[in-house]
Amino acid sequence: MKKLLIAGGLLLCAAPVMAQDHTDVVRAVKADLVARGVNILGPCGAFQITGRVAWILRNEGWGLLGGKSPSQNGCTVGGERYAIDFLVQKPSGQGVDMLVNAENQNTPAWQLFPLSPNPDLSKWRAPFPMDPQRKVTRDFDGDGKADFAVYRPSEGNAYITGSTTTVYTGGLSTDVPVPADYDGDGRTDPAVFRIGTGEWLIGLSSNGGTIRSQWGNAADVPVPGDYDGDGKADIAVFRPGDGTWYVVPSRTGVPYGFQWGNGADIPVPGDYDGDHRADIAVYRPANGTWYVVRSSTGAAYGMVWGIGADRPVAADYDGDGRTDIAVFRPETGTWYVVRSTTGAGYAVAWGNGADTPVAADYDGDGKTDIAVFRPANGTWYIINSSTGAARGFQWGNSLDNPIQAR
């Protein structure tokens, strides 16, 4: 596995003060990074802290700072660009940001807040509306938009759009890509689950390190997700043989098992109740029913939505922070989605039986976009939720497998 060098630029972050005091979050993040040996010094040191703080506060419903180009924000070291804007929410619901970096001069924001009660307001931009909170999956470069990525089994390589295209190399043709944000810095980390050995190989975007972990067996299905709500994806598998989920929470490292489902079910973890934790859930093709266990209450419920041949494509299509139940019907190329905001369902014809559904937030508006990957020509076809406009992007070939958002 070769670690992707993330070329960043844009957005981030949130901060303590004003409407709510988050100084404890900043202090805790700094202490955690120092304890793990992460470099928080140097011209880009503030990113290591502000990026993590942003992730935590976004999970509390705070917004993001967007709309800036890389040339307007961040610093560059060793060819890598990082954004370190510090965003503060005001009681009015507006935000203000202060660029605490002058390209090669860096004053970490955690030194300014809360230690300095009277910051230099001349460095602040005029107040602006906050962007809605969002959590973007398959976002390797941290720009708030899902990236195009494919895994090429013939080479054991994965390719992603961006300045560095090879994400990891030397994999096996049977490896299953399981990218997710395992270190909690707001960027997707490249990772694979090795069928046959049950080994996880993860590259960390926060420090360039690699994790190798043994968890699962040849028959298990990898289901990473943030089950404990700490902002980091947890290693987890679903075992069809006994319908049990085996999870290693990153918060405690103490594994547990939870029986939910059977061998014919498809695992569909997601945040269905909006509490910022992944809920254990399965889709049962035999009766077209979704069975979900809410992490917020422990209560379970079932919902009929789909038929046997449908493919589950649960995601947050309405941007309310909750996973919506949805299916893609290959027979007709139709998507059927239930909005969690209203409970109303709708249908969109997009794709055909040979396409692979690859829903994700490609335009960065906080809503999942309906999209398919067409192996015949290696093209991704997307409907931008922000505008309703359709577009195509060629990335991959007929032998590639699109890397799914998780």
Side-chain angles (χ1 to χ4, degrees):
M1 176 180 287
K2 182 170 76 176
K3 185 70 189 67
L4 169 68
L5 293 178
I6 302 293
L10 172 184
L11 182 163
L12 304 193
C13 276
V17 305
M18 299 185 183
Q20 186 174 356
D21 184 4
H22 284 101
T23 57
D24 56 335
V25 174
V26 180
R27 290 193 188 99
V29 167
K30 181 189 175 198
D32 175 65
L33 292 172
V34 171
R36 291 192 286 116
V38 176
N39 180 21
I40 60 172
L41 303 176
C44 286
F47 175 82
Q48 300 293 351
I49 294 179
T50 56
R52 176 79 181 114
V53 170
W55 181 258
I56 293 173
L57 299 190
R58 276 154 52 186
N59 280 347
E60 294 181 5
W62 290 50
L64 299 179
L65 172 60
K68 282 193 170 186
S69 68
S71 63
Q72 295 174 303
N73 188 19
C75 62
T76 302
V77 172
E80 298 187 62
R81 192 167 187 82
Y82 298 95
I84 55 171
D85 266 354
F86 217 63
L87 177 61
V88 179
Q89 184 177 11
K90 299 175 65 176
S92 64
Q94 291 181 312
V96 289
D97 76 291
M98 181 173 66
L99 189 63
V100 295
N101 172 267
E103 201 58 40
N104 59 2
Q105 298 295 321
N106 186 47
T107 302
W110 51 264
Q111 289 182 351
L112 298 178
F113 296 100
L115 302 182
S116 174
N118 299 301
D120 182 359
L121 297 181
S122 67
K123 297 180 181 180
W124 291 72
R125 186 170 66 155
F128 56 90
M130 296 282 285
D131 289 344
Q133 69 125 356
R134 59 181 181 266
K135 174 182 178 181
V136 181
T137 56
R138 209 177 65 225
D139 178 13
F140 294 91
D141 56 9
D143 68 350
K145 301 177 183 179
D147 301 309
F148 301 98
V150 296
Y151 187 71
R152 190 161 295 168
S154 61
E155 301 175 358
N157 296 339
Y159 297 92
I160 180 176
T161 50
S163 59
T164 303
T165 55
T166 302
V167 181
Y168 32 61
T169 61
L172 304 178
S173 61
T174 54
D175 285 350
V176 177
V178 286
D181 185 7
Y182 294 93
D183 54 10
D185 68 348
R187 292 177 289 174
T188 299
D189 304 312
V192 296
F193 175 73
R194 185 146 291 170
I195 299 294
T197 66
E199 185 179 26
W200 296 67
L201 295 89
I202 303 169
L204 301 178
S205 57
S206 58
N207 60 17
T210 301
I211 294 176
R212 302 176 72 101
S213 180
Q214 181 71 38
W215 190 251
N217 60 41
D220 290 345
V221 178
V223 286
D226 185 7
Y227 295 90
D228 57 6
D230 68 347
K232 303 177 184 180
D234 306 316
I235 290 175
V237 296
F238 171 71
R239 187 160 296 165
D242 56 12
T244 302
W245 299 62
Y246 296 96
V247 182
V248 183
S250 56
R251 187 188 299 273
T252 65
V254 179
Y256 67 90
F258 188 88
Q259 201 288 322
W260 190 253
N262 62 46
D265 291 343
I266 300 173
V268 286
D271 186 7
Y272 295 90
D273 55 5
D275 69 345
H276 311 301
R277 290 182 291 172
D279 304 318
I280 288 175
V282 296
Y283 172 69
R284 187 162 294 167
N287 58 9
T289 302
W290 298 65
Y291 298 97
V292 181
V293 181
R294 293 185 177 95
S295 56
S296 56
T297 64
Y301 70 94
M303 178 176 176
V304 177
W305 191 256
I307 60 177
D310 290 347
R311 301 181 62 174
V313 287
D316 184 9
Y317 295 91
D318 54 9
D320 69 344
R322 292 179 289 173
T323 299
D324 304 318
I325 288 175
V327 295
F328 171 70
R329 189 160 296 167
E331 181 182 4
T332 61
T334 303
W335 297 64
Y336 296 95
V337 182
V338 181
R339 292 185 178 93
S340 55
T341 49
T342 64
Y346 66 96
V348 177
W350 192 252
N352 60 49
D355 293 341
T356 301
V358 286
D361 184 7
Y362 296 92
D363 55 7
D365 69 344
K367 300 178 182 179
T368 296
D369 306 317
I370 288 175
V372 296
F373 172 75
R374 187 159 295 166
N377 57 10
T379 300
W380 303 60
Y381 295 98
I382 303 161
I383 301 178
N384 288 335
S385 55
S386 57
T387 63
R391 64 187 174 108
F393 187 84
Q394 202 287 321
W395 189 258
N397 61 46
S398 61
L399 300 179
D400 290 343
N401 296 323
I403 295 177
Q404 297 288 349
R406 294 177 181 268

